[in-house]
Amino acid sequence: MEHDLTQFALILAIMAGLVFVLGKWMTHLFVSPAHNIIERGTYRLLGVDPAEKMSWKRYGMVLLLSNAAMMLLGYLLLRVQQYIPGDALERASQSPHLAFNTAASFITNTNWQSYSGETSLSNFSQMAVITFLMTVSAATGVAAAGGFIRGLSRKSAADIGNYWVDFTRVIFRLLLPICFVLALVYVWQGIPQTLNAEAIANTLEGARQQLIVGPVASLETIKHIGTNGGGFFAMNSAHPFENPTPLTNTLHILSMLLIPSALTYTFGSMIARRRQGWAFFAAFLVMFLGFLALVYSAERAGNPMFASAGVDQAQTQLQAGGNMEGKELRFGIAQTSLFVTTTTAATTGSVDAMHSSLTPLGGLVPIAEMMLNNVFGGDGVGLINLVTYAILTVFLVGMMIGRTPEFLGKKVEAREMKFVMLAVLAHPFSILGFTALACLTPSTLASLANMGPHGFSEVLYAYTSGTANNGSAFAGLNANTPFFNTTIGLAMLIGRYLTLLPMLAVAGVMAAKTTVPEGPGTLSTSTPLFTGLLVFVVIIVGGLTFLPALALGPIVEHLLMLSGTTF
Amino acid sequence: MSQVDATAPLGASSGGSPKPVKWASVIGEAFKKLSPRVQSKNPVMFVVYLGSIVTTLLWVQALSGKGEASGAFIFAVAISLWFTVLFANAAEALAEGRGKAQADALRATRQRVVARMLKEPRRDSESWPQPSDELDVGAYLLVEAGEIIPTDGEVIEGAASVDESAITGESAPVIREAGGDFCSVTGGTRVLSDWIVIRVTAKPGEAFLDRMIAMVEGAKRGKTPNEIALTILLVALTLIFLLVCATLLPFSLFSTVLNGSGSVVTITVLIALLVCLIPTTIGALLSAIGIAGMSRMIKANVLATSGRAIEAAGDVDVLLLDKTGTITLGNREAAKFHPAPRMDERTLADAAQLASLADETPEGRSIVVLAKNTFNIRGRELHGAETIAFSAHTRMSGINLDGRQIRKGAASAIRAHVEAMGGVFPQEITKIVEDVARRGSTPLVVSDDIHVLGVVELKDIIKGGIKERFAELRGMGIKTVMITGDNHLTAAAIAAEAGVDDYLAEATPEDKLQLIRKYQAEGRLVAMTGDGTNDAPALAQADVALAMNSGTQAAKEAGNMVDLDSNPTKLLRVVEVGKQMIMTRGSLTTFSVANDLAKYFAIIPAAFVATYPPLAVLNVMGLHSPASAILSAVIFNALIIVALIPLALRGVQYRAEPAARLLGRNLLIYGLGGIIAPFIGIKLIDILLTPFF
């Protein structure tokens, strides 16, 4: 156990160290006035004016339309895959609803996969659709965070920056360099990077085994750096070609947390209130540690029914102990718990274990983190979501000091509240609404592998994962049906754009306001007290919204397990 | 005496004693407000209203034997929901009722009188009678002793003493005269002596008294910006919980299918859950809080033109305070005699006393008192003396006695006077004058013929307790700025003594306006008081502008509040009322949301225990049965509204403290208290309900 805790501490310490380095770099990226030669070339090629000052409406519109165009491109490529030459395995095109789901999934940074990577996508599609959309969707999120922070940092300003500049710089200055270096490390660790489609192995028994390979290492880097999560293979990061060693597992975890955590520093830096950035970092970390503790202790304790049957579940030199169902021996309880917590916190959605096989309380962690959607959160959007809740917190408690609420010195008034509440509402509306719809749809039962509360959890998990733009699956649910492909696709689009665009509006409205100087009469939002309140509001609002649904899923499943029933 | 002003406790301002509440009319109003038109204005309570109707219909259905649950249970839930709505209505009616009583008292003053209209703005012009509600702006009226002034106006000829007690509650008559800052008269007040010709300045029905009545009755009360923002939050929370409860039905249905057993949750239970979860507490009391805030202002004898102004008062960062009347008492007092070199102090005191004996101003009297106290110089009979009164032209006063010309006055005036008679104004005196001024006092030079005897130091008297008050304000993050016409030296000294943060010396109305704009550009909200016409631009610019009722019509028009007592210190009270109103809103919102935790623990196990028995462990309160648990939560939800009505009307306790301390205290009371209270309350109600459900 000490080793496990040391491991957690070490990985989180490295993450915290990287916050400084990358936070500073991203600040520079967003505020530097100079464009480099590649960027200038790109602007000329795209025919955009990098000097244009965009209002939030224009910024949001450019974001939305460029995303729509890229999604359409992805959709078309998936539809015509079988006509594109070069695939030795001649994999078929995706059906319309599956292609819609896949394109929506990757443009929204969700990476929900209703298809199985090996059998369904050619190497060209893996690169031109999947890896491409993974990169631009992450860049969209980080760029939006840049525009958002810039809006909050300004006073009496009409614009929040230039989307094209933010987007291009994030790709050229942030994502590509990191991914390039990381891909080389991955290749060193044994992850394939080839244009061949398969490798044939003759096994000891004389059988001929087909091993699917392809450009995995490059996909793997942006998959985690971009908090995407879509695997090259159906088994995702549990597959030895995607995640061969504990070191790659650790690098995956650090990659996922890299940008979301560092953005807190960038935030503090850009609004010239460093402490505020750390206060948000602390809020992220506190929630993260809480969830990690829950999943780790639940998985480590294992299943009480085994204990009563006399099975030894203790961790020893010779066995991993705890609940190892659905886990990889090379990662064990600790690395798996940390990966589970990270992948749903940072809404990546890659998995190195089967979430469906977690203990009920362990399985509650990924679903709860996605419901809150702001424990670090996805690239860019995680920070934006936390600020949404910070404004909500300011409004709920700020009036108790006898002033109309203020955030970062700007008055929170009706207009901002409207946008904030829209962003807060979109998330549960999509999750609960679509889950309810699925519950009423007769075909749903046919897609379920399990009955009882676990079956309900599978459906709830699917829409939560889609809406939170996470993409991990609980397994057990056959989601490749027209109904699920369409509704989960819509959930992903709602979860992405109906939270992002209102918050860009908030940034735009806030940018136009003057700033009230801080003093003893104003509510400080960078104190430990406020961080505590923020965490409390996130959990209470999330809890109040989702507790009834959770009560019918993981909570009752846990209680049933205690009384001797499993699913 | 004025110490009372500065340290007056809350609610100690003048105003009528609270009238007993007429419960019958409150109950009547509560039922009257059940009309859908009234209900639909409050989205949160409208949901409860709809829930009450649906559960009532479900009860009717149950009576026919086809109900989804036992008739008694549905009936109990329906009744509890109706009471929730009625309690919210009663809270509003109660708040409005207080205002109505005040309005009735005012309306009694507003009599329809017949005005004497003049053709020309002269007393002896042709005149004819005209009803007071048919007077146009610009009409000329004559009002004589014993008559009531028909409407608001401006005196253009004559002077009269006017009894304004109907408006201000102050029984001493005031002088109203043409020209200057005392030319405005208010409709409904009475001329006691002499006569005045006034020009009508208010349209019929828009006079000061009319506006005041409308304000008090809450007829014109629109929602304030913060109230609108809060309503958006409450509506959004309501929508979320509506979604939560609406989706629970399919979830429950699906669960029973998956589980192969159990029963689907009933509509009654879902409505009960919904009403418990949506922020009914704050939703029910929100409008009462706003009306009560207005009422508290009126109780302090301040009339705000809008709720917005009261809200802005809570946000004020900078107070511009006129020195005279707010920081210092209006009068200065002689503090010390400074004789010229080689001059006896007693000689100076003697001359100063002679020069002041006939001077009835407070300053003059204070010189006589000082002379008596220090040298025991008594009052004397002045036979054949000629007293020279102060005039704005000479800026001196004094006495001609036995051929001596004794004068006291400003240094420059005495210098001119002495030099005109061939005397010399000594250098040393100039130095003393400067020293005195540096200390924040006013130097008064005394001369006897061509000899300059010395200087009398007149000190401003800082109001008692005001320094502590400013320190409190500083702790709350509010900056105080003293505005004075004095020179920089004087202003700096008084500012230091009174403990204000900054001062504006030799202030002109333009300077004031500039200063306000400067602070506003920094993002600060500025409050000020004013009474003169030249204050109007600054009043119009300030975020909170408290005009004195004694001031000119222009000042009153430009401000967004009028202090009927004409006491500039009232500005501090205005800030308190504003802060208190927002605090009350915030505290009850927090309380309302915090309550939900316990309600979940009451209702969720009760609703689903039939499908999944193990969920009974969530029944942490050990409630008797599912029916009693749900009813307890609903009843608690209704009763808490009643329990909090007094708090909503009175406002949460206000203290002048830094934000962090206020937040800590209120979080503890309303946040933590809001989490704990319902656990206890619901358990107690459940114990009472145990025999029945």
Side-chain angles (χ1 to χ4, degrees):
Chain A
M1 185 169 174
E2 298 83 62
H3 290 301
D4 292 353
L5 298 184
T6 314
Q7 186 172 195
F8 293 154
L10 202 65
I11 293 178
L12 293 176
I14 296 173
M15 173 196 75
L18 288 172
V19 165
F20 277 101
V21 182
L22 200 73
K24 279 197 175 128
W25 177 240
M26 285 195 287
T27 308
H28 178 260
L29 184 158
F30 286 128
V31 300
S32 134
H35 309 290
N36 67 33
I37 184 152
I38 311 173
E39 289 159 6
R40 280 200 301 269
T42 310
Y43 301 141
R44 215 165 300 142
L45 197 69
L46 292 174
V48 299
D49 171 17
E52 183 192 351
K53 289 179 156 63
M54 294 183 177
S55 69
W56 73 263
K57 282 182 188 149
R58 172 110 176 97
Y59 196 98
M61 190 51 76
V62 171
L63 183 154
L64 199 62
L65 291 180
S66 62
N67 271 219
M70 293 187 285
M71 177 180 162
L72 186 67
L73 179 68
Y75 174 83
L76 292 176
L77 287 177
L78 291 172
R79 293 286 294 134
V80 301
Q81 179 178 259
Q82 67 195 64
Y83 308 111
I84 300 172
D87 183 20
L89 299 176
E90 294 182 338
R91 282 166 277 213
S93 304
Q94 290 195 347
S95 65
H97 57 85
L98 181 58
F100 162 72
N101 183 282
T102 307
S105 170
F106 282 85
I107 194 64
T108 57
N109 202 246
T110 310
N111 295 210
W112 172 268
Q113 293 167 294
S114 276
Y115 63 92
S116 165
E118 299 95 318
T119 55
S120 149
L121 291 183
S122 67
N123 280 349
F124 176 75
S125 295
Q126 293 279 23
M127 292 189 290
V129 179
I130 302 303
T131 311
F132 165 67
L133 287 181
M134 277 180 167
T135 311
V136 295
S137 67
T140 300
V142 181
F148 178 75
I149 301 171
R150 200 178 289 119
L152 292 184
S153 72
R154 294 189 166 174
K155 52 179 178 182
S156 314
D159 71 296
I160 60 169
N162 183 307
Y163 177 73
W164 293 120
V165 171
D166 289 341
F167 180 77
T168 313
R169 284 185 183 183
V170 169
I171 291 180
F172 286 137
R173 298 191 193 183
L174 184 69
L175 299 179
L176 289 185
I178 296 177
C179 288
F180 183 78
V181 174
L182 205 56
L184 293 179
V185 177
Y186 283 168
V187 169
W188 164 55
Q189 284 291 304
I191 299 182
Q193 178 74 8
T194 170
L195 290 176
N196 291 336
E198 58 180 340
I200 303 298
N202 291 305
T203 65
L204 287 175
E205 294 133 1
R208 192 171 168 277
Q209 193 177 356
Q210 181 201 32
L211 300 172
I212 302 290
V213 291
V216 186
S218 55
L219 182 144
E220 206 60 24
T221 53
I222 190 63
K223 169 178 146 187
H224 290 119
I225 291 291
T227 65
N228 286 289
F232 193 95
F233 303 101
M235 283 302 109
N236 209 304
S237 291
H239 194 291
F241 283 176
E242 287 205 35
N243 193 3
T245 64
L247 175 64
T248 56
N249 198 53
T250 307
L251 287 176
H252 287 345
I253 291 169
L254 285 172
S255 298
M256 291 190 254
L257 294 174
L258 184 65
I259 294 176
S261 61
L263 272 174
T264 58
Y265 185 92
T266 308
F267 181 82
S269 227
M270 281 174 73
I271 61 166
R273 295 166 193 239
R274 284 273 162 81
R275 277 174 53 112
Q276 189 65 61
W278 289 117
F280 283 165
F281 178 78
F284 279 150
L285 195 62
V286 165
M287 292 189 278
F288 184 86
L289 289 176
F291 283 116
L292 177 62
L294 185 59
V295 67
Y296 174 67
S297 57
E299 294 309 306
R300 197 169 172 277
N303 188 333
M305 287 161 74
F306 278 133
S308 56
V311 176
D312 178 20
Q313 294 187 84
Q315 185 186 32
T316 64
Q317 289 283 321
L318 297 172
Q319 67 172 24
N323 170 36
M324 279 302 286
E325 181 194 316
K327 292 189 182 62
E328 297 294 307
L329 276 174
R330 64 184 183 281
F331 304 137
I333 298 287
Q335 282 234 337
T336 306
S337 300
L338 188 57
F339 198 99
V340 167
T341 314
T342 306
T343 193
T344 45
T347 67
T348 305
S350 62
V351 291
D352 75 346
M354 290 304 106
H355 287 184
S356 181
S357 297
L358 295 169
T359 57
L361 280 186
L364 176 81
V365 166
I367 201 167
E369 281 187 320
M370 292 188 295
M371 283 169 169
L372 302 184
N373 204 14
N374 53 17
V375 185
F376 287 109
D379 278 359
V381 293
L383 181 82
I384 296 178
N385 287 341
L386 190 70
V387 173
T388 309
Y389 275 89
I391 296 176
L392 188 61
T393 307
V394 158
F395 203 91
L396 279 174
V397 302
M399 281 190 288
M400 285 197 287
I401 63 164
R403 289 172 71 90
T404 56
E406 289 148 354
F407 180 64
L408 305 178
K410 290 160 186 289
K411 283 205 182 310
V412 182
E413 288 163 310
R415 197 148 168 239
E416 300 82 85
M417 264 336 261
K418 234 180 262 175
F419 290 124
V420 165
M421 292 322 291
L422 183 62
V424 170
L425 273 171
H427 191 65
F429 258 81
S430 172
I431 294 177
L432 296 177
F434 281 119
T435 306
L437 189 65
C439 285
L440 295 174
T441 307
S443 65
T444 302
L445 276 178
S447 283
L448 290 181
N450 296 286
M451 297 303 279
H454 199 82
F456 178 71
S457 293
E458 287 172 3
V459 179
L460 183 65
Y461 194 103
Y463 290 106
T464 307
S465 174
T467 306
N469 298 142
N470 179 282
S472 68
F474 209 40
L477 176 76
N478 171 25
N480 190 11
T481 66
F483 175 78
F484 279 113
N485 275 336
T486 311
T487 49
I488 294 176
L490 289 173
M492 294 188 283
L493 294 173
I494 291 172
R496 177 73 164 185
Y497 300 106
L498 280 188
T499 54
L500 195 55
L501 294 177
M503 291 313 287
L504 279 181
V506 170
V509 177
M510 291 286 216
K513 297 189 176 213
T514 57
T515 310
V516 183
E518 256 181 288
T522 54
L523 175 74
S524 170
T525 50
S526 54
T527 57
L529 175 68
F530 186 81
T531 300
L533 284 173
L534 172 58
V535 171
F536 187 73
V537 168
V538 167
I539 290 175
I540 201 109
V541 172
L544 292 175
T545 311
F546 295 111
L547 190 73
L550 289 175
L552 292 174
I555 293 179
V556 76
E557 192 184 343
H558 173 72
L559 296 173
L560 285 168
M561 179 182 79
L562 293 181
S563 64
T565 317
T566 55
F567 296 90
Chain B
M1 43 160 207
S2 284
Q3 285 184 0
V4 180
D5 278 336
T7 54
L10 277 182
S13 308
S14 53
S17 58
K19 295 193 173 60
V21 181
K22 290 184 192 129
W23 287 107
S25 80
V26 168
I27 294 168
E29 276 294 309
F31 275 95
K32 246 189 253 169
K33 282 173 188 282
L34 282 180
S35 104
R37 221 166 40 84
V38 179
Q39 289 297 319
S40 62
K41 283 183 188 148
N42 183 339
V44 178
M45 292 316 293
F46 190 59
V47 171
V48 183
Y49 180 71
L50 292 180
S52 316
I53 294 174
V54 173
T55 45
T56 308
L57 293 176
L58 287 170
W59 173 61
V60 172
Q61 187 196 28
L63 285 183
S64 67
K66 283 176 282 190
E68 54 171 17
S70 88
F73 171 67
I74 301 179
F75 178 73
V77 170
I79 284 292
S80 308
L81 296 190
W82 280 117
F83 269 104
T84 311
V85 177
L86 284 173
F87 289 157
N89 290 349
E92 201 179 82
L94 210 55
E96 285 172 348
R98 289 174 150 198
K100 283 219 172 73
Q102 283 165 316
D104 289 342
L106 287 172
R107 201 172 276 123
T109 338
R110 187 186 59 175
Q111 299 163 18
R112 192 164 168 273
V113 294
V114 176
R116 233 182 310 164
M117 213 157 141
L118 299 171
K119 192 169 185 194
E120 302 286 323
R122 282 177 290 110
R123 187 189 184 189
D124 49 5
S125 153
E126 186 188 330
S127 74
W128 66 91
Q130 178 97 350
S132 61
D133 48 6
E134 290 171 22
L135 293 171
D136 283 329
V137 175
Y140 302 108
L141 310 176
L142 174 67
V143 191
E144 294 192 311
E147 292 177 353
I148 287 185
I149 299 175
T151 183
D152 294 2
E154 182 187 349
V155 181
I156 50 172
E157 195 185 351
S161 66
V162 179
D163 171 14
E164 295 193 339
S165 59
I167 306 263
T168 61
E170 178 64 53
S171 55
V174 292
I175 302 296
R176 293 284 176 239
E177 58 191 351
D181 284 349
F182 298 99
C183 65
S184 95
V185 288
T186 312
T189 56
R190 182 185 293 271
V191 173
L192 292 180
S193 67
D194 306 296
W195 56 268
I196 43 176
V197 172
I198 64 172
R199 197 178 66 84
V200 176
T201 53
K203 285 188 202 153
E206 285 178 24
F208 187 65
L209 210 54
D210 298 308
R211 280 189 292 152
M212 193 158 166
I213 291 168
M215 220 59 231
V216 174
E217 280 189 323
K220 279 196 179 166
R221 208 187 75 91
K223 278 189 175 161
T224 58
N226 174 252
E227 217 174 335
I228 294 170
L230 181 56
T231 306
I232 290 170
L233 173 83
L234 297 181
V235 168
L237 287 177
T238 305
L239 281 175
I240 289 180
F241 291 124
L242 200 60
L243 174 82
V244 167
C245 294
T247 53
L248 265 183
L249 191 61
F251 291 175
S252 167
L253 203 71
F254 193 61
S255 292
T256 52
V257 173
L258 286 174
N259 201 37
S261 68
S263 56
V264 179
V265 65
T266 61
I267 307 279
T268 310
V269 169
L270 284 180
I271 291 176
L273 178 63
L274 174 64
V275 170
C276 284
L277 294 183
I278 62 176
T280 46
T281 315
I282 180 69
L285 298 175
L286 186 57
S287 88
I289 294 170
I291 300 170
M294 191 75 89
S295 270
R296 272 199 296 280
M297 260 329 175
I298 292 165
K299 215 169 150 198
N301 260 2
V302 174
L303 185 66
T305 53
S306 67
R308 193 189 192 105
I310 302 178
E311 203 172 275
D315 286 348
V316 158
D317 303 290
V318 179
L319 296 181
L320 301 189
L321 301 165
D322 278 329
K323 185 196 79 178
T324 308
T326 313
I327 296 170
T328 62
L329 299 175
N331 319 319
R332 297 162 194 226
E333 208 168 66
K336 200 168 177 352
F337 297 111
H338 299 278
R342 298 172 301 281
M343 189 62 68
D344 183 17
E345 189 180 342
R346 191 189 163 95
T347 314
L348 168 64
D350 189 65
Q353 191 240 23
L354 279 174
S356 306
L357 277 174
D359 183 352
E360 279 305 312
T361 63
E363 285 87 353
R365 279 202 298 264
S366 77
I367 293 174
V368 176
V369 170
L370 183 67
K372 184 182 171 220
N373 288 348
T374 35
F375 297 106
N376 208 18
I377 301 171
R378 300 200 165 269
R380 292 163 267 189
E381 285 298 313
L382 302 171
H383 296 292
E386 181 197 352
T387 53
I388 312 293
F390 179 85
S391 83
H393 180 63
T394 60
R395 292 188 296 142
M396 329 182 271
S397 63
I399 191 164
N400 292 343
L401 182 69
D402 307 332
R404 291 160 69 192
Q405 283 193 24
I406 305 174
R407 294 287 183 277
K408 67 179 201 298
S412 56
I414 297 293
R415 176 193 285 269
H417 169 72
V418 170
E419 284 174 355
M421 291 195 299
V424 178
F425 194 83
Q427 276 295 312
E428 294 87 345
I429 294 292
T430 311
K431 198 178 165 307
I432 294 174
V433 164
E434 279 170 8
D435 284 346
V436 168
R438 193 167 300 119
R439 282 196 293 272
S441 304
T442 307
L444 211 56
V445 182
V446 180
S447 69
D448 188 347
D449 290 336
I450 59 164
H451 306 290
V452 178
L453 304 179
V455 177
V456 181
E457 180 174 351
L458 295 177
K459 272 184 96 165
D460 265 312
I461 309 161
I462 310 282
K463 281 187 176 180
I466 200 88
K467 191 167 184 176
E468 291 72 23
R469 196 74 176 261
F470 290 152
E472 275 177 16
L473 288 172
R474 195 171 307 117
M476 293 161 60
I478 296 177
K479 190 173 167 157
T480 45
V481 181
M482 182 180 83
I483 308 289
T484 173
D486 293 345
N487 63 44
H488 284 272
L489 289 178
T490 313
I494 296 174
E497 198 183 340
V500 292
D501 296 307
D502 204 352
Y503 63 88
L504 180 67
E506 292 171 357
T508 62
E510 293 74 41
D511 292 341
K512 255 186 183 175
L513 190 60
Q514 286 309 319
L515 189 67
I516 294 174
R517 290 209 172 119
K518 191 189 106 200
Y519 280 123
Q520 285 174 337
E522 290 171 12
R524 296 175 190 271
L525 257 62
V526 183
M528 70 170 287
T529 61
D531 55 6
T533 301
N534 56 11
D535 283 332
L539 283 168
Q541 180 72 31
D543 300 284
V544 173
L546 181 64
M548 301 293 107
N549 191 45
S550 59
T552 61
Q553 196 65 31
K556 283 196 259 183
E557 294 281 335
N560 49 15
M561 291 182 193
V562 177
D563 178 23
L564 301 177
D565 298 337
S566 303
N567 171 8
T569 318
K570 199 67 84 54
L571 196 55
L572 304 183
R573 168 85 184 137
V574 166
V575 170
E576 286 174 8
V577 172
K579 283 201 176 295
Q580 204 185 15
M581 185 172 78
I582 300 175
M583 266 164 71
T584 308
R585 250 182 231 157
S587 300
L588 289 184
T589 305
T590 304
F591 187 84
S592 195
V593 175
N595 268 208
D596 281 3
L597 201 64
K599 294 174 190 165
Y600 259 133
F601 280 104
I603 296 185
I604 292 291
F608 299 112
V609 80
T611 308
Y612 293 123
L615 279 177
V617 275
L618 292 185
N619 181 8
V620 289
M621 285 173 272
L623 302 178
H624 172 65
S625 69
S628 75
I630 290 163
L631 266 178
S632 306
V634 179
I635 293 173
F636 174 83
N637 194 52
L639 290 182
I640 197 72
I641 295 175
V642 181
L644 291 175
I645 289 177
L647 184 71
L649 296 184
R650 199 182 61 229
V652 304
Q653 198 187 12
Y654 167 86
R655 291 171 202 234
E657 281 180 337
R661 285 251 288 285
L662 278 176
L663 181 65
R665 182 196 322 280
N666 287 333
L667 265 180
L668 208 62
I669 301 176
Y670 300 99
L672 195 62
I675 291 177
I676 296 169
F679 277 103
I680 300 168
I682 291 174
K683 178 67 188 168
L684 287 178
I685 297 170
D686 183 72
I687 292 171
L688 294 176
L689 288 178
T690 299
F692 309 104
F693 289 93

